[in-house]
Amino acid sequence: MTLPDTDSILRLLETSGVALSKRDICTAFKIKGEAQRIVLKNILREMEDDGLVIREDGKSYKIADTLPTVCVADITGLDLDGDLLATPADWQEDVQGPPPRIEIIPERKGHHALMAGDRALVRVRKIGHNLYEAAVLKKVDAVKAKVLGFIRKNKNGYLLSPIDRRAKHDFDVPSTELKGAQIDQVVVADILPGRSDLRKKVRVSEIVGDIDDPKTISLMALYESGLRPFFPEEVVQSTDGMVVPLLGTRTDLRDLPLVTIDGKDARDFDDAVFAEPDPHPDNDGGYHLVVAIADVAYYVTAGSPLDKEAYLRGNSTYFPDRVLPMLPEKLSNDLCSLRPHEPRATLAVHMWINARGQLIRYKFVRGLMLSRARLTYEQVQAAIDGHEDATTAPLMADVIRPLYAAWKVLDAARVKRGALDLDIPERKIVVNEAGEMTGVAVRERLDAHKVIEEFMILANVAAAMALEDKRAPCVYRIHDRPTGDKLMMARGFLEAFGLYLPKEGVAGPAQLNHLLTKAKSMQAGFLISEIILRSQAQALYHPENIGHFGLALDKYAHFTSPIRRYADLIVHRSLIKAYDLGEGGLSDLESVKLFEMADHISGTERTSAEAERNAVDRFTAAFLKDKIGMEFVGRISGVTRFGLFIKLQDTGADGLVPIRSLPSDYYVHDEANHALVGKRTGRVFRLGAPVLVRIIEADPVTASTVFELVNGEAGAEVDGYKSKGHSSGGYSSPSFRRDKNTSRSGKQTKKGKFGDKKRNDKRKKPSRPKRDD
């Protein structure tokens, strides 16, 4: 038997794709006898010395430039054929060259449980040059490599204290790794490799700002959520040379008197509207509406650096003092902003409704438009109320009055179909030029707002219908019916006010609206609206349609804001391809990845919402920082087993009353009645009840605001609430379990009356969904 040479062994290892032991190699070449095995061992040692092969785990041999048989891989997405792809974790492309392609073998159930951004432990087999297939062993959590905190100094040197309230320890910062950062500056730092989980070292990678600078507040929330404040240079440079396209084959809409209607402080105008009575004799009382949207797909082409960054962000994020846009300013505030008297590329939809507000026909066109005016909600409302100005006066007859007339038809249709009518006031933090919070303003909800909302909803419905008509891919905006559990929790609370949900089945929007209408005349009407809102499911994006419960619509997709939502850009691209409207249509790869993309943008939406809430928490904490000890009127906005969340009446600021600060008792968290109830005294603290609180702590760095109740001995009850779960003689419940649902208050700890201030309000306060139009 002739022993194999070096080339033969390399070919064997290449063909097998996995590491082979000496026994495997002997078997492959039919090597027998101790003498031949010793010769093979020497050949393998020489190949190892020459760098041709390496030993894995001291036993098996593999080609030197191949991946370990078991390794960690980062999932990157799907290819055109639907194969899930990955790259080796922590691959350094600038040092190691292009990463190998890893194709994930599907699981037995036929689809992948992993998606882009996940990390997994995999077993790989080489199947070609720089190409591997891999079986997933298990999903692993990505290692947190960065930390956000502020620099401080003690006798031993510099430390970084994380701003995350849940962090259990600080990090050491070698003086050589400060990179210019000063004490009390907020920084982003890289965690350096180390064996211990305690007191690891970090290297400053970015200076965010001074800890006392109001402009740092939003940046802390931004970085904490993993958002990026700046666009990569490659993305910004890709907008150079972009201009508004010529008319060409586009539809000329420049003679149509379209106008934009937005808020006073809006900088991007991505939708314009027009309406007129339908002149067709068969549609008496009907209207012709036009909604023109910035043609973002013309500028943001699939797979470009601009597109990849927009997809990564998923949507714009709005802070009290700034906007983190999805697209660079050249597009968001210029080329894709429908400025008055400047030609702009648009994807527009003509819609015809009948006298009952039903959409009977639509037509999508790619055009060139010219906005007649940039109007504000307040300006338009004043004009319709008889207070015209120089801008609105010439537009009244042909533009503004027809818009309101068409809206009244649409609004009547909305009421008839039973769309959920949760008209809860929205609050806006007011900041001055220095970035400091000066107060809170309630956003006035005018009919002018409702005009634009109904026009946008109709356009979104038309987009979903148009794609379904062509059987084209669509990312729907879906809103599921409330779960039975959530409605069950709401039912008991509502019944205490004499309001009743169906005993069986899930209440529809019309039934909930009936309760809301009755509640408007009640003192606790605001609270009932909140409870019904909290019972709702979270709206999200999905390629499979289940309808939109809140809007009472069977088909709904986001189409009207591609400047700030990637979901709308996907819908634009699909419409362009389905209706042959030119270049920039949905690619085949995007069609394959639609489920993954929908899940991603649903996730970025949640991330942005969390970042926005964190920023608001920090701004209000900064606002209250110099008001420690002062008393304020508020209401209980959340009830948990660890305390009460309070919303202040004047500012809308939220804070926690830790359960340890309540009058001494054992408190049961009565979830059905949304209350904490004293087991011994029967003292009640109920959701929505008015309270007087004193500010104990306000820390804008950790976003922690702590209150204590004034006169808490009396409890806090809602007028008109008739509870079936407790009496003045004490609380009795067969399911009472102190270790799960109760807490003891009135006992101090070594850490102070309110416990560890970094952890006393680490849990999320109740949040509510945003308006979905």
Side-chain angles (χ1 to χ4, degrees):
M1 173 69 189
T2 303
L3 288 171
D5 57 13
T6 298
D7 291 338
S8 299
I9 295 174
L10 289 175
R11 280 196 299 271
L12 173 65
L13 294 174
E14 180 78 31
T15 303
S16 68
V18 296
L20 298 177
S21 66
K22 280 190 292 184
R23 177 176 293 179
D24 295 330
I25 297 173
C26 286
T27 301
F29 290 109
K30 299 180 180 179
I31 296 174
K32 299 179 180 179
E34 187 64 24
Q36 289 185 334
R37 290 192 179 92
I38 292 175
V39 174
L40 176 63
K41 181 178 179 181
N42 292 333
I43 294 173
L44 290 172
R45 183 181 294 123
E46 290 177 5
M47 293 176 68
E48 190 176 356
D49 292 341
D50 292 339
L52 297 176
V53 298
I54 58 176
R55 271 195 293 179
E56 196 170 78
D57 299 328
K59 299 177 182 179
S60 301
Y61 294 85
K62 64 170 191 159
I63 297 176
D65 62 350
T66 57
L67 296 176
T69 303
V70 176
C71 62
V72 177
D74 291 325
I75 308 301
T76 57
L78 296 169
D79 67 5
L80 191 59
D81 296 323
D83 290 324
L84 193 63
L85 304 179
T87 57
D90 304 322
W91 185 271
Q92 297 178 338
E93 190 168 349
D94 54 341
V95 177
Q96 299 170 272
R101 173 186 169 109
I102 303 175
E103 297 179 354
I104 303 297
I105 300 171
E107 297 180 12
R108 290 183 180 180
K109 55 188 176 183
H111 65 274
H112 300 290
L114 300 172
M115 59 186 61
D118 288 341
R119 176 168 283 192
L121 186 68
V122 297
R123 185 184 301 279
V124 301
R125 186 174 77 87
K126 191 169 185 179
I127 57 176
H129 176 65
N130 229 25
L131 178 63
Y132 294 80
E133 66 177 13
V136 175
L137 301 177
K138 67 176 181 178
K139 182 179 176 181
V140 298
D141 294 328
V143 178
K144 188 174 181 180
K146 292 182 180 292
V147 62
L148 179 68
F150 60 95
I151 301 294
R152 61 187 186 89
K153 190 177 183 180
N154 64 12
K155 62 181 181 180
N156 297 319
Y158 294 96
L159 300 175
L160 184 140
S161 293
I163 68 171
D164 188 344
R165 295 188 293 257
R166 296 165 294 186
K168 297 179 180 179
H169 54 81
D170 295 331
F171 294 84
D172 290 322
V173 188
S175 58
T176 55
E177 304 293 357
L178 284 169
K179 308 300 180 184
Q182 304 295 318
I183 295 173
D184 286 338
Q185 280 191 322
V186 179
V187 302
V188 179
D190 297 318
I191 300 176
L192 300 176
R195 294 183 178 180
S196 174
D197 288 334
L198 297 176
R199 298 302 294 266
K200 285 189 174 182
K201 292 182 172 60
V202 295
R203 175 193 300 122
V204 173
S205 60
E206 192 171 348
I207 298 174
V208 176
D210 293 335
I211 199 169
D212 293 325
D213 185 351
K215 295 179 180 178
T216 304
I217 293 177
S218 287
L219 290 174
M220 283 192 286
L222 185 154
Y223 278 102
E224 188 177 31
S225 297
L227 303 176
R228 303 201 294 183
F230 307 110
F231 286 94
E233 189 62 29
E234 178 188 21
V235 173
V236 176
Q237 289 178 354
S238 69
T239 65
D240 293 344
M242 288 186 175
V243 296
V244 176
L246 300 174
L247 180 62
T249 59
R250 290 175 175 267
T251 301
D252 194 345
L253 300 174
R254 289 175 292 184
D255 291 335
L256 200 63
L258 290 155
V259 296
T260 62
I261 306 176
D262 295 278
K264 292 179 181 178
D265 53 355
R267 297 177 61 192
D268 54 342
F269 319 120
D270 56 358
D271 58 78
V273 292
F274 168 77
E276 63 180 353
D278 188 357
H280 199 284
D282 293 338
N283 192 25
D284 186 39
Y287 281 85
H288 167 224
L289 294 74
V290 179
V291 172
I293 306 299
D295 189 1
V296 176
Y298 173 76
Y299 302 100
V300 184
T301 57
S304 66
L306 195 56
D307 178 56
K308 291 177 180 178
E309 182 66 19
Y311 176 71
L312 183 67
R313 294 177 178 232
N315 46 263
S316 297
T317 307
Y318 295 84
F319 298 108
D321 61 340
R322 74 189 70 206
V323 176
L324 181 64
M326 185 181 80
L327 300 174
E329 190 171 351
K330 175 71 176 289
L331 296 181
S332 61
N333 293 345
D334 186 2
L335 295 176
C336 293
S337 185
L338 307 182
R339 295 174 177 175
H341 313 299
E342 296 183 23
R344 286 292 183 266
T346 180
L347 183 60
V349 56
H350 293 267
M351 298 173 289
W352 289 265
I353 60 172
N354 60 24
R356 298 185 299 279
Q358 296 170 325
L359 181 61
I360 57 176
R361 189 158 61 95
Y362 53 81
K363 180 183 179 182
F364 284 86
V365 298
R366 214 170 184 185
L368 200 66
M369 62 159 287
L370 196 70
S371 172
R372 290 295 184 274
R374 180 271 200 262
L375 305 175
T376 67
Y377 295 116
E378 294 79 8
Q379 185 182 20
V380 172
Q381 190 63 51
I384 207 72
D385 290 340
H387 306 288
E388 304 165 8
D389 59 23
T391 302
T392 56
L395 300 172
M396 290 303 298
D398 295 333
V399 178
I400 295 177
R401 286 198 181 97
L403 288 174
Y404 272 74
W407 162 65
K408 288 180 179 179
V409 175
L410 291 173
D411 189 56
R414 178 191 61 80
V415 173
K416 185 176 181 179
R417 74 172 185 265
L420 205 54
D421 187 17
L422 286 166
D423 199 1
I424 297 175
E426 294 185 36
R427 295 176 181 266
K428 175 186 176 183
I429 287 183
V430 180
V431 296
N432 59 22
E433 292 183 358
E436 299 167 328
M437 177 177 169
T438 59
V440 174
V442 176
R443 296 180 188 268
E444 189 177 11
R445 185 156 158 75
L446 307 169
D447 284 348
H449 291 95
K450 299 176 184 178
V451 170
I452 297 302
E453 285 172 11
E454 289 302 322
F455 273 59
M456 297 304 109
I457 288 172
L458 188 67
N460 289 337
V461 169
M465 292 176 64
L467 291 176
E468 282 197 5
D469 286 348
K470 290 285 188 177
R471 297 188 177 182
C474 180
V475 170
Y476 296 92
R477 181 65 168 181
I478 62 172
H479 181 220
D480 207 351
R481 304 174 74 84
T483 63
D485 289 344
K486 282 192 173 183
L487 277 183
M488 184 64 71
M489 295 297 294
R491 179 178 285 112
F493 192 81
L494 295 173
E495 287 179 356
F497 292 100
L499 302 173
Y500 297 92
L501 290 170
K503 293 295 183 182
E504 296 182 2
V506 178
Q511 292 168 306
L512 295 179
N513 279 336
H514 178 68
L515 297 184
L516 291 169
T517 300
K518 292 178 67 174
K520 286 180 180 179
S521 61
M522 301 171 62
Q523 185 177 354
F526 73 96
L527 177 59
I528 292 166
S529 293
E530 279 281 357
I531 290 296
I532 291 178
L533 179 61
R534 292 183 187 185
S535 72
Q536 300 304 300
Q538 182 71 48
L540 49 84
Y541 297 106
H542 205 279
E544 294 178 350
N545 184 29
I546 63 170
H548 196 295
F549 177 83
L551 295 175
L553 292 169
D554 294 329
K555 302 171 184 178
Y556 193 68
H558 276 165
F559 161 79
T560 55
S561 296
I563 288 181
R564 60 184 178 89
R565 292 188 304 229
Y566 198 88
D568 303 54
L569 180 56
I570 296 173
V571 170
H572 276 228
R573 287 173 176 166
S574 194
L575 287 166
I576 290 168
K577 182 177 181 180
Y579 287 87
D580 196 21
L581 298 177
E583 298 181 353
L586 195 71
S587 68
D588 292 339
L589 179 59
E590 288 176 301
S591 298
V592 170
K593 296 175 60 177
L594 216 55
F595 280 86
E596 177 187 325
M597 296 172 76
D599 188 75
H600 169 75
I601 56 182
S602 294
T604 60
E605 180 184 39
R606 292 190 295 270
T607 298
S608 290
E610 182 179 1
E612 291 164 359
R613 285 195 299 269
N614 288 343
V616 168
D617 288 344
R618 287 191 166 88
F619 269 100
T620 53
F623 182 68
L624 297 173
K625 187 172 61 172
D626 60 353
K627 299 173 178 60
I628 303 297
M630 295 178 64
E631 297 177 359
F632 292 87
V633 174
R635 285 189 180 274
I636 298 175
S637 61
V639 179
T640 72
R641 61 184 179 84
F642 56 88
L644 305 171
F645 283 107
I646 310 296
K647 183 180 289 292
L648 301 187
Q649 180 175 291
D650 294 333
T651 65
D654 291 291
L656 178 74
V657 174
I659 200 165
R660 288 186 177 277
S661 71
L662 296 179
S664 181
D665 207 335
Y666 288 104
Y667 287 95
V668 178
H669 179 207
D670 184 353
E671 294 183 77
N673 289 293
H674 300 269
L676 285 180
V677 184
K679 183 175 184 288
R680 177 172 53 83
T681 64
R683 186 184 294 114
V684 176
F685 297 96
R686 193 177 313 280
L687 179 70
V691 291
L692 183 66
V693 297
R694 183 180 297 113
I695 299 177
I696 301 300
E697 175 191 319
D699 185 354
V701 176
T702 62
S704 172
T705 305
V706 180
F707 303 146
E708 69 175 356
L709 293 179
V710 178
N711 300 324
E713 292 288 342
E717 183 59 282
V718 178
D719 288 343
Y721 190 91
K722 299 176 181 179
S723 174
K724 300 177 182 179
H726 72 276
S727 65
S728 59
Y731 188 90
S732 177
S733 171
S735 61
F736 173 75
R737 288 182 61 191
R738 176 182 164 190
D739 61 336
K740 180 178 180 182
N741 296 316
T742 67
S743 296
R744 184 176 187 175
S745 70
K747 184 177 180 179
Q748 293 190 13
T749 68
K750 293 181 180 179
K751 293 183 179 179
K753 184 177 181 181
F754 303 111
D756 184 352
K757 73 176 184 177
K758 273 194 175 186
R759 301 181 63 191
N760 56 21
D761 62 345
K762 68 182 180 179
R763 309 196 187 192
K764 293 182 180 178
K765 62 177 176 288
S767 61
R768 66 188 192 204
K770 294 183 178 179
R771 190 179 304 281
D772 202 4
D773 48 44

